[in-house]
Amino acid sequence: MTQPTTAAQQEAPTSAAKSTGGQGSSRRLGLRWDVRSLSLLGVLAVLVAVGGITAPDAFLATSNLQLVLTQASVIGVVTVGMTFVITSGGIDLSVGAIVALASVWATTVATQEFGFAGILFTAVIVGVGCGLVNGLLIAYGRMVPFIATLAMLASARGLALQITDGSTQIVTVASVLDLGARDSYVLGVPPLVLIFAAVTVIGWLLLNRTTFGRRTVAVGGNAEAARLAGIDVRRQRLYLYLLSGLCCGIAAFMLIVLAGSGQNTNGNLYELDAIAAAIIGGTLLSGGRGTILGSVLGVLVFTTITNIFALNNLETAVQQIAKGAIIVAAVLVQRRSAHGDT
């Protein structure tokens, strides 16, 4: 006699099909991100070729390539923190102002009396402190991230201006200045680039290989579903803005080393550059997906464009138009990909 089919047996093929479909979807998603990263590498290769053709002696010089990587390192560290925030569905418009405030606070005469450690500690603690304020306002004060970080932008810029009184604060600590000297390069690689590489690796591991990263993606994908799954959404958002502030503090110290001074104009438009780099790298502005590797490639693309324009004496306005066109193209590609998933 034929045995009756149970409900579990009837559901098994369906579950298997769903599992197979989910795995297929994951593979397709992974392939799409790989293609996007390869595309950015292709764009970067084209830019290097353009630079080599239009200004071969200047662009391909070792000193210029070191300069490009060093400049990319500062904004790159900020972008790593921004990638986490955007992946969670948030935004941080205050990163540039936080970098400015941290850099001037860390270069006051009183702070420099404590030497290298005093400058580094002050820059990091100011960045984390600003991130804490942002996180508390957004996570527990229930303020919209755009408004909270916009308020921080204005406040931090104003405080930085008040501290400096509009003047440049020169760094006199030799150990800090030596970090930016050519003698400190490791196998031809500037120390700031090594710091950027370390932050990138840690950020990648944190986003892709830890529970913290999975919670960040979950909160960005659907905050209510994440809450029902047992994730403390408010605490997670607080941690993310703390992380962003930490990255700003590190970037501020790197900028102090690079410039040898602290100014209230430091970090100008960093928030736009960081958001743009994350977006063209593949991080969804609506949250739920993020890629550290893509963000780093985005930073390198923008920094290379800036360098090529400078070497060819092209107007800044044209450079900004080119960046804007790249951002629009990246958003359109994201929208098309999003429609393809549905």
Side-chain angles (χ1 to χ4, degrees):
M1 293 180 63
T2 304
Q3 295 293 332
T5 304
T6 64
Q9 291 172 328
Q10 290 175 343
E11 291 177 359
T14 303
S15 300
K18 288 181 178 179
S19 176
T20 304
Q23 292 174 358
S25 176
S26 298
R27 284 193 293 268
R28 288 194 298 272
L29 179 60
L31 177 62
R32 180 157 53 251
W33 290 124
D34 289 342
V35 169
R36 180 175 284 117
S37 297
L38 289 174
S39 299
L40 283 173
L41 282 174
V43 170
L44 190 58
V46 170
L47 289 174
V48 171
V50 170
I53 294 172
T54 58
D57 295 334
F59 181 78
L60 297 178
T62 301
S63 58
N64 184 64
L65 296 178
Q66 290 172 334
L67 175 62
V68 170
L69 290 176
T70 301
Q71 292 176 337
S73 297
V74 179
I75 185 62
V77 170
V78 175
T79 303
V80 170
M82 182 69 78
T83 300
F84 278 89
V85 172
I86 296 178
T87 300
S88 71
I91 198 73
D92 191 347
L93 300 179
S94 64
V95 290
I98 293 175
V99 168
L101 178 59
S103 68
V104 300
W105 206 322
T107 54
T108 60
V109 175
T111 302
Q112 292 193 51
E113 290 180 356
F114 293 94
F116 184 99
I119 293 176
L120 175 59
F121 176 79
T122 302
V124 170
I125 203 66
V126 170
V128 172
C130 291
L132 176 63
V133 174
N134 280 336
L136 289 174
L137 290 175
I138 293 166
Y140 295 95
R142 301 186 181 278
M143 288 186 67
V144 177
F146 181 90
I147 300 300
T149 57
L150 185 62
M152 176 59 73
L153 183 156
S155 301
R157 282 287 178 195
L159 184 55
L161 178 60
Q162 185 177 33
I163 291 175
T164 61
D165 196 23
S167 61
T168 300
Q169 298 178 163
I170 304 299
V171 175
T172 58
V173 180
S175 56
V176 173
L177 299 176
D178 290 343
L179 195 60
R182 188 168 295 275
D183 293 340
S184 64
Y185 287 13
V186 180
L187 300 177
V189 181
L192 299 188
V193 177
L194 297 177
I195 295 174
F196 176 37
V199 171
T200 298
V201 171
I202 294 172
W204 187 89
L205 292 173
L206 195 60
L207 184 61
N208 296 282
R209 293 292 184 267
T210 66
T211 302
F212 181 87
R214 289 191 292 271
R215 288 175 177 172
T216 300
V217 174
V219 169
N222 190 322
E224 181 60 20
R227 185 187 67 81
L228 294 175
I231 297 175
D232 190 332
V233 175
R234 292 188 297 179
R235 185 171 60 186
Q236 184 69 18
R237 285 175 174 159
L238 174 62
Y239 289 162
L240 288 167
Y241 282 96
L242 282 172
L243 178 60
S244 180
L246 173 62
C247 289
C248 289
I250 296 173
F253 177 76
M254 295 169 68
L255 196 57
I256 291 170
V257 172
L258 184 61
S261 63
Q263 304 177 54
N264 66 285
T265 56
N266 283 344
N268 188 34
L269 297 182
Y270 271 22
E271 56 277 357
L272 300 183
D273 288 342
I275 293 171
I279 291 174
I280 72 167
T283 299
L284 287 183
L285 193 56
S286 57
R289 293 178 189 171
T291 163
I292 297 295
L293 176 60
S295 296
V296 170
L297 291 174
V299 170
L300 292 175
V301 166
F302 278 134
T303 307
T304 304
I305 290 175
T306 301
N307 184 257
I308 292 174
F309 273 65
L311 292 177
N312 288 278
N313 297 318
L314 297 177
E315 295 181 0
T316 304
V318 180
Q319 173 186 322
Q320 297 300 329
I321 293 173
K323 285 184 177 182
I326 293 174
I327 295 170
V328 171
V331 172
L332 290 176
V333 170
Q334 282 192 357
R335 288 175 60 86
R336 184 174 180 181
S337 299
H339 287 307
D341 291 340
T342 56

